[in-house]
Amino acid sequence: MTITPKEYQCPMMQFVNLISGKWSIPIVYRLIIIDEPVRFGELLKHLAPVTQKELTKHLRAFEEKGLVQRTVYAEIPPRVEYEITALGKTLKQPLAGLAVWMEQHAAYLLHK
């Protein structure tokens, strides 16, 4: 199968489309750092000032892509936990690299 230029999309653009949105990287990175199941409310506290609506939207998208696992427990009241998947954990090194780069260049970038 040959990929035509129209069908080809740069891998960097694919990545940007996957994690686009103001809260995408902070959500994924927080789940990677926590590295255990976490309830929605707890995650919401860690990511303040993200809104409940934004967090829900991103978590659903990440679940659909296989980056986050959502577990619902049949309890009253219902308990829902989110956890980064093995695939999601593979983003740890690239995202940590971006964080280091920002730390190294923040003074220059933020004062321009």
Side-chain angles (χ1 to χ4, degrees), residues 19-40:
I19 53 111
S20 64
K22 177 180 179 178
W23 294 103
S24 294
I25 291 175
I27 291 167
V28 169
Y29 201 62
R30 175 57 60 182
L31 287 167
I32 289 169
I33 290 169
I34 293 171
D35 197 22
E36 62 183 25
V38 61
R39 294 184 73 165
F40 183 88

